[in-house]
Amino acid sequence: MPPSRPRLTLAACSATMQYDHTAIEGKWQQAWRERNTYRVDQDFTRPKFYVLDMFPYPSGAGLHVGHPLGYIASDIVARYKRHKGFHVLHPMGYDAFGLPAEQYAIQTGQHPATTTEVNAARYREQLDRIGFSFDWDREVRTSDPDYYKWTQWIFLQLFDSWYDPRADQARPISELIARFETEGCRGQDASVLTGDIEEFVGEFTAAEWKAFDERTRQMVLQHFRLAYLSEAWVNWCPALGTVLANDEVKDGVSERGGHPVERKRMPQWSLRITAYAQRLLDGLEGLAWSESLKEAQRNWIGRSEGASVRFPVGDDFIEVFTTRPDTLFGVTFLTLAPEHVLVGKYTTDAQRAEVEAYVKQAKNRSERERQAEVDRITGVFTGSFAKHPFTGEDVPIWVGDYVLAGYGTGAVMAVPGGDQRDWRFAKHFGLPIIAVTDGADIDKEADERKDATICSEGFLKGLKVPEAIRRAIDELEKLGAGEGRVNFRLRDAAFGRQRYWGEPIPIYYEDDIPRPVDVADLPVRLPEIDKYQPTETGEPPLARAKDWTYKGFPLETTTMPGWAGSSWYFLRYMDPGNTERFASEEAVKYWGPVDLYVGGSEHATGHLLYFRFWTKFLYDRGWLPFDEPAKKLVNQGMIQGVSKKAYALAVVSHSTVAIDAESRLIDTKQLPLVLVPKRVYDSWAELSEADRDAIGNVESMLREVGLERCPGASGYVTATSSFEFHVDIQLVDDKSNELDIDGFRASRPDHANAILLEDGPYVTVNEVDKMSKRWMNVVNPDDIIARYGADTLRLYEMFLGPLEQSKPWDTHGIEGTYRFLRKFWNLFHTGNSGVEPVASTHRVDHDSFLVTDDTPTKAELKVLHATLKKVEEDIERMSFNTSVSQFMIATNELGALKCTKRAVLEPLVVALAPFAPHIAEELWEQLGHAESVTTAPWPAHDPQYLVEDSFSYPISFNGKTRLQLEFPATLGKEEVEAAVLADPEVQKRLEGKPPKKVIVVPKRIVNIVV
RNA sequence: GCCCGGGUGGUGGAAUGGUAGACACGAGGGACUUAAAAUCCCUUGGCCUUGCGGCCGUGCGGGUUCAAGUCCCGCCCCGGGCACCA
């Protein structure tokens, strides 16, 4: 069967036809490129399957073996689905905006786009070498203006939308304006989510709305827009002129440079994700995502039911949220967050100095610190009192930093008898504590039980908690002092960054009123600037741009956060070249939503929440026909690194006397590093005499070394303890763990004089850590591929264990999968199989290639079909490690059967193709096919070949297996029982006594109870 | 503290309530070879036994069942997420 197109040749193929991964993989990667094997067309008629990977940020470090794990799994599914006849979309791109490129730009002046380009090219090279079936024509990069044009467009859609509580969906802002013009703003509409705190906009009539000036109208609308500008609390660092993220602040100073940081309220762009809280929660129900991930999102959204209660203060009131309105009669004080807007208003003159001082210091503690230091109870009395809505009694108003400004209303009604935090605050400041529940021991702690009976005086006394909650809410509503309410922990997302390397926000300011850039003028391109740092006046880098204006008005200078572009990229892959729309209606309708999404669990509450939020929003506004982006999601586990640890003496030097020079301390850094065995490190407290002597010897030797370096000083050197440290895995022999001492000395200047406590090889100790540069345990896939090939790498990553589980990378084990591929190859070749060509052989052009058209035996067909069945089932449940095992079993068994038959081997090539595409293509071609193996239909297993004639029953006594008896598979329960009991060996074990009971599970087991 | 995962040989791991340890690594022994590489074969959970065989064994303690790694109850340990959330 001659191929229909010229065949590429395998230059490195020798006559004996050994498995040569380098030649095969090079040949096929080139062929795939040239033949566009993985191009996905716009045929919208076939059944589709969309397999998506979380795209990477192209960092300068390149890929390590942990990165491609998920990509390999998804690639197997993509290829498998293609064999199954699906039209498969399996794209890849880059999350190209990000901090590292910007930091690098600040240091070197190199444009982040250049760095990104270089890094992406390196990623591409590495990815290509692994043999993925990505359609690179569909690559997206978030930093590409043709891409971020649509990110900006979506932002403008958000800006142009509000969340209509009546329709429970996002609507155009024009509809809100129309409503204001006819109905004004009243009741529920007037109380809207502004993200941080429930805020009352204020009611107005239609006539009043019409009388508002433009500025006022726009201010009002800001309270409703889904992308809005508002005052928000930020970590402001005046010295750096920038806002810092929570993790960039430590102990009130910036992590970089140690400059003071203060909490400051600044205008910030935010997205009103809180409007979607309930739908984001409800939508989780139908998703095939892992339970732990869904749980993480539920926790993050943090829905709680309760009531809002208003405590009158003079002619105003303080509103609190509580989940326990049943404890209202136990309220003994109110606590406001230090940031609460009413703190100033309710502070009496007598208390003002104290309160202001407290607020100032509390505000400047970062949120993280405030949350970490639970034991530090601080607060101050404002001097004012509120009225209890039920009893009318005075309730003192305190300020305490245990109350968070960003949750609920930023104020709590304190019930020390029922809430432990309130209890501790009350104890600390000597405030009264009222028992609210029967059986509470309020001298010891608050009683937070939710199944108790209320005992505090009032109309709730004697009621069970759930009933008391309902009753309390009824009363509050009757009095107009509050109502039932649902509260969420989720906060609106800050959307502005004081950075250069991100999407410009397409907003300009006309007399300080934010206005959207016309859609026709998108994208707003990132300007060229001279330096990538904030300006001298503390403005973001974009303020450096010349003429950063639109229609003569200043443009917004902050840029979007990293997650903007990744919130919708899955849509762009569907139609990446579209200039009219983010993706065509047909493409979106056909390809969406994603059928399988694979990525790391670290994105559980960041990316994956925004990703769902944007999808729901675009759905609301009619741009998408679905409102969840990914039906199924799988988190791949982390591949950990095995690091090598060494141990050394911690050496201290002292100088005592100086004869003819000034007294000098020998710098311990100048002393050689003394490597000691782990034994010494472990048993430092009780060292053996031999070890102590050895250390003593080294000390005296060190003393001389030290003194040589400090002429005139006489001192002594002592080893006070030992410490552990990581050494580069490159310097350690994989098998023996012996350290390459010379290499170690050459690796760093301060290791140059390293010496050993004991003669002989130095043996390091394994430890499993995260794979990272820091632990010097990074394994590069390029090295693995050079040695074993991409197919081996792919198989091994899958073979390592269940996809979702974290597991350490151990290069040793790879030999097994490499051996498997060679054995598989040898099934098709005479090279090393020991099978000599015979006369009937149908030979295909390579010398050693030997596959016959003989009729396979029953045993051979059984191996084949058992494998096809197992592999298909395993791919469907993403259990790739077990499918690799099955291939190994099949290969071992067919090898033992000396099977060289096409009818058996050919289907196996197709089944293996998703896992090891290069070797499969090569064998497929050698089998005489002109078309790529990727076009072959999936070989279905035929159950008839798996039917067993007989079954070997394990015979157990009281559940313990004692012997095996083989019976025809057709035998029924009773027949098996009879046959078993007739067996002499069984009789012998029964010792003539009749069995109590005999359980026969056909084709499984026989259990005899005696 | 709360919420999710997970604990099985020297190692990675396998096992619809039905023969625990598949497959692979490592280790030991052997064949082929002048040798090496490659390949192939055997052994490999622990203890007892010359052998046949026996006893124990899936973190710990109970329970359900003819039968439990698997189901239920109570603990311990490890990993991850959340956390003054009112």
Side-chain angles (χ1 to χ4, degrees):
Chain A
M1 47 188 90
S4 64
R5 66 173 95 203
R7 185 177 296 167
L8 296 161
T9 50
L10 269 181
C13 273
S14 67
T16 51
M17 209 56 192
Q18 293 269 351
Y19 169 53
D20 181 347
H21 63 260
T22 310
I24 291 169
E25 290 174 3
K27 167 183 163 180
W28 287 102
Q29 282 167 15
Q30 190 191 338
W32 293 333
R33 222 175 359 253
E34 288 170 359
R35 300 179 191 172
N36 283 314
T37 305
Y38 301 117
R39 181 141 70 205
V40 180
D41 57 38
Q42 293 290 65
D43 170 11
F44 295 154
T45 58
R46 294 154 58 202
K48 67 93 186 184
F49 199 86
Y50 185 0
V51 186
L52 182 65
D53 294 291
M54 289 186 188
F55 62 170
Y57 173 76
S59 83
L63 295 173
H64 64 61
V65 291
H67 294 121
L69 180 71
Y71 305 158
I72 294 170
S74 62
D75 197 54
I76 289 169
V77 174
R79 287 170 179 275
Y80 164 76
K81 289 287 180 185
R82 212 165 279 160
H83 288 300
K84 282 290 221 176
F86 288 90
H87 192 199
V88 175
L89 180 57
H90 186 217
M92 185 45 81
Y94 303 103
D95 189 13
F97 278 130
L99 230 42
E102 179 156 341
Q103 295 292 354
Y104 192 70
I106 290 169
Q107 285 161 23
T108 64
Q110 169 121 246
H111 196 285
T114 314
T115 321
T116 305
E117 182 64 41
V118 170
N119 292 348
R122 166 137 174 73
Y123 265 59
R124 173 67 190 277
E125 223 175 274
Q126 286 189 295
L127 291 171
D128 277 350
R129 271 201 277 266
I130 304 173
F132 291 116
S133 62
F134 299 130
D135 176 2
W136 284 103
D137 290 348
R138 289 173 182 258
E139 177 192 314
V140 301
R141 287 187 196 190
T142 53
S143 62
D144 182 342
D146 290 338
Y147 181 88
Y148 69 65
K149 169 181 174 176
W150 297 105
T151 313
Q152 292 175 336
W153 178 85
I154 295 171
F155 176 85
L156 291 182
Q157 294 296 309
L158 286 158
F159 181 77
D160 183 54
S161 302
W162 69 297
Y163 201 87
D164 181 351
R166 297 184 213 173
D168 198 20
Q169 64 169 225
R171 304 296 304 164
I173 200 89
S174 58
E175 289 183 11
L176 179 68
I177 295 170
R179 191 178 290 184
F180 286 166
E181 282 170 353
T182 56
E183 303 171 26
C185 178
R186 238 170 293 153
Q188 240 196 322
D189 292 348
S191 171
V192 292
L193 287 168
T194 58
D196 273 6
I197 300 174
E198 293 278 332
E199 202 167 296
F200 194 66
V201 173
E203 299 191 354
F204 50 82
T205 63
E208 282 171 318
W209 168 260
K210 284 176 189 155
F212 286 158
D213 60 13
E214 175 64 8
R215 172 182 300 270
T216 309
R217 287 183 185 182
Q218 289 300 331
M219 295 280 281
V220 171
L221 291 178
Q222 285 293 332
H223 285 102
F224 292 86
R225 293 181 189 277
L226 295 187
Y228 63 98
L229 193 58
S230 75
E231 299 275 311
W233 290 100
V234 295
N235 301 311
W236 173 251
C237 179
L240 295 175
T242 189
V243 168
L244 300 175
N246 276 337
D247 54 339
E248 292 173 309
V249 184
K250 268 208 175 120
D251 306 321
V253 298
S254 65
E255 202 173 26
R256 242 174 252 263
H259 306 288
V261 173
E262 58 192 54
R263 303 264 300 152
K264 190 176 158 187
R265 228 162 141 73
M266 276 181 69
Q268 283 279 298
W269 281 97
S270 299
L271 298 190
R272 205 178 303 278
I273 189 173
T274 50
Y276 282 87
Q278 187 64 51
R279 281 170 65 193
L280 287 169
L281 192 63
D282 295 341
L284 289 169
E285 288 297 321
L287 298 180
W289 294 18
S290 74
E291 203 41 54
S292 64
L293 199 141
K294 290 203 263 187
E295 199 57 32
Q297 291 214 340
R298 285 189 199 109
N299 287 339
W300 190 261
I301 294 167
R303 183 182 198 273
S304 46
E305 284 181 22
S308 78
V309 183
R310 288 182 284 280
F311 287 77
V313 190
D315 54 359
D316 202 350
F317 59 84
I318 289 173
E319 184 165 21
V320 303
F321 173 75
T322 176
T323 54
R324 295 291 301 277
D326 56 307
T327 63
L328 255 159
F329 287 104
V331 173
T332 55
F333 56 101
L334 300 184
T335 315
L336 304 179
E339 295 92 339
H340 200 287
V341 281
L342 295 178
V343 169
K345 182 169 173 184
Y346 294 141
T347 301
T348 58
D349 291 337
Q351 293 297 102
R352 190 158 302 276
E354 200 185 335
V355 170
E356 279 174 3
Y358 176 69
V359 167
K360 186 157 183 270
Q361 66 87 12
K363 269 208 285 206
N364 285 342
R365 289 174 72 202
S366 78
E367 208 159 297
R368 192 164 286 195
E369 278 176 274
R370 275 165 57 173
Q371 290 174 10
E373 295 166 30
V374 181
D375 295 330
R376 202 173 122 185
I377 297 162
T378 64
V380 60
F381 178 47
T382 60
S384 297
F385 296 87
K387 286 257 179 291
H388 191 289
F390 288 159
T391 66
E393 282 169 24
D394 276 346
V395 180
I397 304 168
W398 282 68
V399 179
D401 73 357
Y402 78 96
V403 178
L404 303 176
Y407 184 75
T409 61
V412 301
M413 58 176 227
V415 184
D419 182 286
Q420 192 57 25
R421 291 155 314 191
D422 295 341
W423 186 89
R424 292 202 333 223
F425 195 84
K427 274 275 170 201
H428 191 262
F429 290 107
L431 293 159
I433 299 172
I434 301 173
V436 285
T437 44
D438 273 336
D441 183 359
I442 53 165
D443 290 333
K444 272 164 102 182
E445 61 182 357
D447 176 17
E448 298 187 341
R449 286 175 304 144
K450 290 182 177 101
D451 55 355
T453 303
I454 300 299
C455 72
S456 49
E457 289 305 322
F459 55 77
L460 298 173
K461 189 171 181 179
L463 297 177
K464 285 280 192 186
V465 168
E467 201 186 328
I469 289 176
R470 278 193 296 275
R471 178 74 199 281
I473 291 173
D474 282 350
E475 290 296 325
L476 285 168
E477 287 177 354
K478 259 186 234 161
L479 291 169
E483 55 275 317
R485 179 183 291 291
V486 173
N487 196 49
F488 293 95
R489 198 186 76 98
L490 184 71
R491 299 184 202 182
D492 277 349
F495 200 67
R497 297 288 184 268
Q498 327 267 316
R499 307 282 181 197
Y500 174 73
W501 193 230
E503 301 88 344
I505 293 176
I507 291 288
Y508 66 98
Y509 294 89
E510 190 182 332
D511 301 328
D512 285 345
I513 299 172
R515 301 281 191 188
V517 169
D518 292 346
V519 167
D521 293 324
L522 294 181
V524 176
R525 286 170 184 273
L526 260 181
E528 292 303 319
I529 55 175
D530 53 351
K531 265 164 96 182
Y532 303 100
Q533 276 165 316
T535 65
E536 284 64 33
T537 53
E539 286 184 86
L542 290 194
R544 293 179 176 276
K546 285 194 191 79
D547 198 28
W548 187 237
T549 58
Y550 180 73
K551 294 183 176 171
F553 298 107
L555 274 161
E556 169 65 41
T557 53
T558 59
T559 54
M560 299 189 197
W563 49 268
S566 60
S567 295
W568 73 281
Y569 74 118
F570 75 110
L571 296 169
R572 190 63 179 170
Y573 284 132
M574 297 173 183
D575 189 11
N578 200 315
T579 53
E580 304 303 314
R581 211 169 176 273
F582 58 87
S584 76
E585 239 177 307
E586 309 83 71
V588 164
K589 189 171 170 228
Y590 176 73
W591 287 117
V594 171
D595 294 284
L596 174 65
Y597 193 22
V598 179
S601 56
E602 67 273 23
H603 298 108
T605 49
H607 160 65
L608 287 174
L609 215 49
Y610 302 126
F611 179 58
R612 296 180 60 221
F613 162 41
W614 282 36
T615 303
K616 286 185 185 301
F617 165 70
L618 290 171
Y619 167 80
D620 281 358
R621 291 297 311 268
W623 298 103
L624 295 178
F626 50 86
D627 79 337
E628 282 290 346
K631 288 194 262 191
K632 183 178 164 107
L633 182 134
V634 173
N635 292 126
Q636 85 273 23
M638 200 173 43
I639 291 200
Q640 295 146 317
V642 176
S643 23
K644 307 291 179 179
K645 289 179 100 172
Y647 305 84
L649 293 182
V651 174
V652 173
S653 77
H654 297 276
S655 106
T656 43
V657 194
I659 314 273
D660 49 19
E662 78 270 31
S663 179
R664 244 190 286 189
L665 223 59
I666 302 166
D667 182 359
T668 52
K669 287 199 184 110
Q670 294 178 8
L671 298 172
L673 188 75
V674 184
L675 292 174
V676 300
K678 181 163 193 290
R679 181 189 74 242
V680 170
Y681 173 79
D682 285 341
S683 59
W684 185 260
E686 38 201 278
L687 283 171
S688 70
E689 202 146 314
D691 285 337
R692 265 204 302 269
D693 286 351
I695 291 166
N697 287 340
V698 168
E699 280 171 353
S700 48
M701 199 195 82
L702 285 181
R703 185 175 324 147
E704 283 161 35
V705 176
L707 290 174
E708 264 169 38
R709 285 166 190 246
C710 299
S714 82
Y716 58 90
V717 170
T718 6
T720 53
S721 66
S722 55
F723 65 95
E724 52 180 359
F725 63 103
H726 286 79
V727 297
D728 195 330
I729 54 165
Q730 307 281 341
L731 298 172
V732 179
D733 182 90
D734 241 7
K735 282 192 180 167
S736 64
N737 264 349
E738 280 176 27
L739 180 67
D740 167 11
I741 295 289
D742 294 331
F744 178 73
R745 288 182 180 133
S747 65
R748 276 173 55 170
D750 51 332
H751 291 167
N753 302 319
I755 54 172
L756 301 179
L757 186 66
E758 292 176 342
D759 291 337
Y762 185 79
V763 180
T764 60
V765 175
N766 287 346
E767 192 181 81
V768 174
D769 292 300
K770 197 178 160 190
M771 191 173 281
S772 76
K773 261 186 174 168
R774 181 176 172 202
W775 303 123
M776 296 181 285
N777 60 3
V778 173
V779 180
N780 187 329
D782 298 351
D783 298 340
I784 302 292
I785 290 170
R787 183 139 170 223
Y788 300 101
D791 285 338
T792 299
L793 174 75
R794 292 171 61 108
L795 281 168
Y796 186 55
E797 295 228 1
M798 293 299 102
F799 187 63
L800 229 35
L803 181 64
E804 294 94 331
Q805 212 167 292
S806 286
K807 55 245 160 186
W809 176 269
D810 172 16
T811 303
H812 289 136
I814 204 168
E815 293 284 350
T817 46
Y818 187 51
R819 243 168 245 163
F820 154 68
L821 281 181
R822 282 200 309 254
K823 285 190 225 172
F824 189 77
W825 175 266
N826 289 343
L827 289 176
F828 298 76
H829 296 88
T830 53
N832 294 299
S833 64
V835 179
E836 293 306 319
V838 287
S840 70
T841 299
H842 170 78
R843 299 189 62 162
V844 184
D845 59 8
H846 289 284
D847 285 348
S848 65
F849 187 76
L850 173 79
V851 171
T852 68
D853 286 332
D854 299 344
T855 309
T857 65
K858 225 175 148 185
E860 289 165 345
L861 285 170
K862 193 177 151 195
V863 174
L864 169 67
H865 289 276
T867 301
L868 295 177
K869 179 169 191 278
K870 173 90 174 133
V871 170
E872 176 161 356
E873 285 169 358
D874 285 352
I875 296 176
E876 292 286 354
R877 61 190 179 108
M878 300 196 72
S879 171
F880 303 108
N881 53 331
T882 51
S883 31
V884 176
S885 298
Q886 184 59 40
F887 280 120
M888 289 173 169
I889 293 167
T891 304
N892 289 344
E893 289 181 352
L894 293 177
L897 292 167
K898 300 206 190 303
C899 175
T900 58
K901 291 156 190 162
R902 173 182 293 271
V904 174
L905 299 183
E906 205 168 67
L908 279 183
V909 169
V910 181
L912 184 66
F915 296 82
H918 308 87
I919 192 175
E921 285 279 28
E922 179 61 26
L923 291 170
W924 188 248
E925 187 186 63
Q926 290 185 15
L927 283 162
H929 298 276
E931 289 297 323
S932 162
V933 70
T934 58
T935 63
W938 182 261
H941 82 273
D942 186 340
Q944 68 160 311
Y945 299 111
L946 301 177
V947 177
E948 303 270 359
D949 295 338
S950 64
F951 183 79
S952 177
Y953 280 89
I955 312 298
S956 53
F957 291 78
N958 293 334
K960 294 184 183 196
T961 309
R962 282 294 113 100
L963 64 143
Q964 301 267 325
L965 290 175
E966 182 144 345
F967 300 115
T970 51
L971 238 52
K973 258 187 175 181
E974 290 73 20
E975 296 163 298
V976 171
E977 181 172 341
V980 167
L981 292 178
D983 185 81
E985 178 65 26
V986 172
Q987 279 305 322
K988 200 180 114 195
R989 285 175 187 274
L990 284 171
E991 293 169 340
K993 282 172 267 176
K996 240 191 207 157
K997 200 172 174 187
V998 179
I999 292 108
V1000 177
V1001 185
K1003 304 234 229 134
R1004 280 254 181 254
I1005 201 167
V1006 176
N1007 191 17
I1008 299 167
V1009 187
V1010 291

